[in-house]
Amino acid sequence: MSKSSRNELNPPSTLLNNARRRCKWELVAALREGNDKIISALPAMGKSRGAIFAASETGIPITVLTGRGHEEQYQQFGKWCDEFDLTWERIPSFTNDCDTYNGKHGSKAKSKVSKLYDRGVRPAQIHKKVEPPCIDDCTYTKKWDTNLDDFDVLIGHYTHGYLTNVIQGRAVFVDEFSGNGFETKIPEPKLPRIVTSFVQAYELPFTSYKNLIETRDDTKKLDEALDWFEEYGFEISGKELIANSKLYRNAPLLVYSLLNSEKLGNGWERCSFSKFDITQQPLDFLKSYKMAFNPTDGYDSSLYLLNPPDWSYARNVIGLDGTPIMAMWGEIIPTAEKHQVLSEKERREYISEGLNHHYILTTTNTKPYSSHKSEIHNRVNVGYDAAVFDGVVYATGINPGLISTKGANKVYEENDIYTIGPNDEFNSSHIACAEHYGNLLGSNRLDTCQVGVLSGSQHFGDNFIEKWGAYHSHAVERERQGVDITYGPLGDEIYQHMVRNQTLQAAMRFGRESNDPTVVFVNTNTLPEWVPVVDQVKAVRISEGLRSVADAIRGVDEWQTTEDVSNHPQVDVGISMVRKHLQRLHEMGLIERKNEGRGKVVRDEKLERLPEYGYLTHVNDSDNQPYTISYRDHYRKE
Ligand SMILES: [Zn+2]
């Protein structure tokens, strides 16, 4: 958070300071106790910085595994280490540090090396066996010569959790939940190629992937194949991989899981190796793997392998999460217990009083806006959403920041419903910035937006929920649609993670720089139920009739009677309707009105401010009066 002069005038409330203090001391306690834990602390409570503080307070060496924004996030952790006088090092990463992989020796060499790496040839073997141009002087190789044990803090990616030497004897912090940090996706077009090449190269009793899928229930073939695995195991050596460019290291694992999978009845199949009696050392690594696969899915029949690191080498593991879902964390750190820093009541106060955040709902629909490209145009309600954006400008007097999905933002732009960028002039169809869910952590632009609109929710598709159900050996299916959407108890927990918690985390991204009130208009009904909502509004679209009445007056200096307006050639509504529209324009402060003779006369005051698409009104207001927030003057730019 930046230290603006505004911040000094408005120090964070005691409540905020207390929450942050509690968070960091609970991290110290978790580190001292040495148990595996998931620390639940809302955004901006300082949990990542708290992890570094805890290391300095206890003197316990730690490893931080993170993913978001990679390099930036690593640097941020590094800065905190410097602040607390701790020594730190970034764990070497092949994709970042190998000079051939990162392109220093040209694209041809890079392509050769990256193809080998993708097929599972280990970095050490790449350097030893194929002699890439970096061979004598590779930054990656040299970095491994440094003794990492000497550092107080090691910082790396989730996948570094697999490297015993960087977690051994240390406390490990997993910064935010990451399913795909510990998951391998074998995309649908790649899967048949990998399987076919493997069964052909090693003469398993199947001729191809297709043949394997069709005949894998044949007991004779199955027995023969399992005998093969008994004899040859699961390892393809680096030498074999380098010699045959069609082979992939994980091919035996894929084939074995396809032969041993259990069908769940909803199209998904899964395989967990923990149930097999695996005691031989070379096979021990298999135990933590879980496979989930839906060959019947028309959109995505990729095969997924979930493989959490073996944390038993670490001193203990602590997950950090704003809104943890234990059904999912349990798959990554099975031994961890959840620890909530604030109670539910305190969390509500933290949002509304500590952060000074106020959420106003603008719809009763979930608005799932991360659909497939072909469907996104049908999903996004452009007319309604545009009326919401205009209404927010009208209600607050300033141009808001916008968060939506990448797809929805594209639809808004194609329909030209707003302009984006810094803006001193009042303009109803203008927003300060547009961000999407996928890029929130890397974006600082929202920090200064004291008014925000969050439009639509993220939904990766039911198959995301079904896949996590499959890891649990559970056939998850959607039971109800719409706002009452449900997938059963387990599926609903995963839905909570995928949709509701992302909505909350996005809403909390606005207005971080100052402690002034932040108002977020939430244009999706997917906030978690416990989150305080201060008001519920709806958008009213500007009708043709209202617009024609406004056009009749706009830019005319003389006072006009209701009859004058009604007689204007462009006005096509009856006189009582004209009267209503004039009343509305007056309430909106857009026209002047005075008594003259027996009636009223009107003239343009600032009709240039009439929103183009619509405005907001309170849900219970049957008159559709325009909605403004009570502290509108606080923001208003005149
Ligand atoms: Zn290299």
Side-chain angles (χ1 to χ4, degrees):
M1 235 178 250
S2 82
K3 287 185 184 116
S4 67
S5 56
R6 237 163 137 203
N7 246 345
E8 281 149 32
L9 291 173
N10 297 293
S13 69
T14 326
L15 205 143
L16 200 58
N17 278 337
N18 281 346
R20 288 177 180 159
R21 194 176 309 124
R22 263 168 71 184
C23 179
K24 73 179 187 186
W25 286 106
E26 301 219 8
L27 285 162
V28 171
L31 209 47
R32 285 210 173 109
E33 281 165 27
N35 297 326
D36 297 342
K37 266 192 179 156
I38 308 300
I39 301 284
S40 168
L42 286 170
M45 271 173 67
K47 51 188 174 306
S48 304
R49 183 174 179 274
I52 304 300
F53 170 79
S56 90
E57 193 62 27
T58 58
I60 296 167
I62 67 166
T63 297
V64 177
L65 303 179
T66 185
R68 53 189 206 198
H70 295 200
E71 204 49 47
E72 277 168 45
Q73 192 62 8
Y74 296 167
Q75 292 307 325
Q76 180 58 70
F77 275 107
K79 274 186 202 154
W80 287 323
C81 291
D82 295 342
E83 188 187 326
F84 293 114
D85 254 346
L86 295 173
T87 56
W88 64 281
E89 185 58 271
R90 199 165 62 69
I91 303 167
S93 144
F94 180 70
T95 54
N96 276 328
D97 300 325
C98 170
D99 298 326
T100 305
Y101 190 97
N102 67 23
K104 278 200 187 120
H105 295 281
S107 57
K108 210 174 154 196
K110 177 190 167 139
S111 158
K112 186 180 173 194
V113 160
S114 68
K115 276 181 188 153
L116 290 169
Y117 184 69
D118 289 347
R119 290 194 295 111
V121 185
R122 305 214 199 282
Q125 282 167 327
I126 292 177
H127 284 104
K128 213 167 27 188
K129 300 272 166 58
V130 300
E131 297 189 357
C134 59
I135 183 77
D136 294 323
D137 193 34
C138 184
T139 314
Y140 172 77
T141 316
K142 278 191 291 187
K143 271 192 145 189
W144 274 122
D145 292 338
T146 321
N147 188 359
L148 293 176
D149 295 345
D150 294 345
F151 295 94
D152 299 320
V153 179
L154 297 180
I155 303 165
H157 185 258
Y158 298 118
T159 48
H160 283 119
Y162 297 122
L163 304 178
T164 313
N165 57 341
V166 302
I167 65 168
Q168 186 131 38
R170 293 172 164 268
V172 178
F173 283 95
V174 181
D175 184 37
E176 300 289 345
F177 178 81
S178 171
N180 52 18
F182 302 109
E183 190 182 53
T184 310
K185 173 181 176 175
I186 294 98
E188 192 221 327
K190 218 169 160 184
L191 180 63
R193 285 206 305 271
I194 296 177
V195 170
T196 301
S197 312
F198 173 69
V199 294
Q200 289 178 354
Y202 290 90
E203 295 177 352
L204 269 85
F206 306 99
T207 53
S208 65
Y209 169 75
K210 191 165 172 277
N211 175 254
L212 181 144
I213 294 293
E214 284 167 0
T215 63
R216 59 183 160 158
D217 293 332
D218 177 331
T219 10
K220 198 171 152 271
K221 279 185 155 193
L222 189 61
D223 283 348
E224 198 183 318
L226 296 180
D227 284 348
W228 186 94
F229 279 102
E230 195 104 316
E231 189 169 346
Y232 298 102
F234 291 81
E235 273 288 328
I236 300 184
S237 70
K239 209 173 145 195
E240 288 169 286
L241 287 171
I242 292 166
N244 182 345
S245 66
K246 286 179 176 173
L247 282 181
Y248 282 73
R249 181 179 293 278
N250 56 15
L253 187 61
L254 299 181
V255 169
Y256 193 75
S257 70
L258 288 169
L259 296 176
N260 285 287
S261 71
E262 144 200 18
K263 294 193 173 70
L264 294 174
N266 62 347
W268 283 82
E269 35 189 279
R270 57 96 64 179
C271 179
S272 159
F273 298 93
S274 59
K275 66 175 183 181
F276 302 119
D277 182 25
I278 301 165
T279 45
Q280 289 163 271
Q281 261 306 316
L283 300 189
D284 206 44
F285 77 98
L286 272 179
K287 267 195 287 191
S288 56
Y289 272 95
K290 281 184 179 172
M291 174 275 246
F293 174 47
N294 183 358
T296 65
D297 189 319
Y299 268 125
D300 180 16
S301 42
S302 307
L303 186 148
Y304 295 89
L305 289 171
L306 184 69
N307 178 32
D310 182 354
W311 303 116
S312 65
Y313 294 98
R315 181 183 177 277
N316 64 320
V317 200
I318 299 169
L320 306 174
D321 194 339
T323 47
I325 297 296
M326 291 311 286
M328 300 177 83
W329 271 107
E331 293 292 329
I332 307 297
I333 311 175
T335 45
E337 273 177 34
K338 175 166 148 181
H339 180 76
Q340 193 84 259
V341 175
L342 301 179
S343 70
E344 185 167 312
K345 181 172 166 280
E346 289 168 329
R347 277 188 290 161
R348 294 169 63 92
E349 287 167 357
Y350 173 78
I351 292 176
S352 57
E353 293 164 41
L355 292 179
N356 211 350
H357 263 216
H358 309 280
Y359 303 143
I360 298 172
L361 269 190
T362 62
T363 179
T364 53
N365 298 323
T366 60
K367 293 181 177 276
Y369 280 179
S370 42
S371 312
H372 200 259
K373 258 187 216 148
S374 58
E375 279 172 18
I376 189 80
H377 286 90
N378 302 330
R379 281 283 169 85
V380 178
N381 189 339
V382 177
Y384 187 89
D385 295 353
V388 169
F389 304 156
D390 272 3
V392 170
V393 177
Y394 182 83
T396 61
I398 62 169
N399 301 115
L402 169 70
I403 298 175
S404 190
T405 63
K406 209 174 179 179
N409 278 347
K410 217 167 173 191
V411 174
Y412 297 144
E413 275 162 39
E414 281 165 14
N415 284 276
D416 225 0
I417 58 172
Y418 51 61
T419 50
I420 310 175
N423 184 39
D424 292 328
E425 296 288 307
F426 184 93
N427 182 339
S428 74
S429 299
H430 191 90
I431 54 167
C433 62
E435 270 302 345
H436 62 90
Y437 277 97
N439 191 39
L440 298 183
L441 295 158
S443 166
N444 302 324
R445 289 188 293 173
L446 302 164
D447 291 356
T448 52
C449 291
Q450 243 45 61
V451 174
V453 188
L454 177 59
S455 192
S457 58
Q458 245 192 337
H459 193 303
F460 313 133
D462 284 358
N463 59 352
F464 179 85
I465 300 174
E466 290 159 6
K467 178 186 75 185
W468 278 87
Y471 287 143
H472 281 252
S473 196
H474 193 91
V476 167
E477 266 167 305
R478 188 191 280 228
E479 290 165 21
R480 275 201 308 273
Q481 305 279 346
V483 182
D484 295 329
I485 192 165
T486 177
Y487 298 84
L490 173 68
D492 284 351
E493 274 194 71
I494 297 154
Y495 179 82
Q496 175 90 15
H497 164 82
M498 177 178 79
V499 182
R500 294 184 182 277
N501 290 344
Q502 306 309 315
T503 302
L504 174 63
Q505 299 232 8
M508 292 182 83
R509 281 295 306 170
F510 290 105
R512 286 196 173 183
E513 195 165 295
S514 121
N515 218 43
D516 286 347
T518 295
V519 184
V520 183
F521 291 81
V522 183
N523 193 33
T524 161
N525 189 13
T526 54
L527 277 172
E529 274 144 22
W530 61 268
V531 174
V533 167
V534 295
D535 228 338
Q536 289 194 40
V537 298
K538 63 186 177 196
V540 180
R541 297 199 208 178
I542 303 276
S543 66
E544 288 295 309
L546 180 74
R547 183 169 307 285
S548 70
V549 167
D551 287 345
I553 307 165
R554 193 193 301 251
V556 181
D557 268 349
E558 292 89 54
W559 292 92
Q560 298 185 61
T561 64
T562 309
E563 285 76 15
D564 294 338
V565 177
S566 176
N567 289 333
H568 191 279
Q570 273 177 12
V571 174
D572 199 20
V573 290
I575 190 140
S576 65
M577 211 54 205
V578 170
R579 201 167 283 129
K580 264 193 174 167
H581 290 327
L582 289 173
Q583 173 68 18
R584 173 63 23 91
L585 293 171
H586 179 60
E587 283 162 3
M588 292 173 82
L590 302 174
I591 58 171
E592 282 184 273
R593 190 165 72 171
K594 66 173 185 181
N595 291 321
E596 199 175 84
R598 276 201 225 143
K600 290 186 169 102
V601 287
V602 296
R603 73 174 178 192
D604 187 359
E605 189 178 358
K606 39 189 170 188
L607 274 171
E608 79 278 2
R609 290 195 175 189
L610 177 70
E612 196 176 340
Y613 300 99
Y615 56 91
L616 300 171
T617 186
H618 199 273
V619 275
N620 297 325
D621 187 348
S622 51
D623 279 346
N624 286 353
Q625 298 230 25
Y627 179 87
T628 54
I629 58 170
S630 55
Y631 36 92
R632 185 181 187 207
D633 290 343
H634 185 84
Y635 299 115
R636 194 164 193 160
K637 271 192 211 163
E638 286 297 343

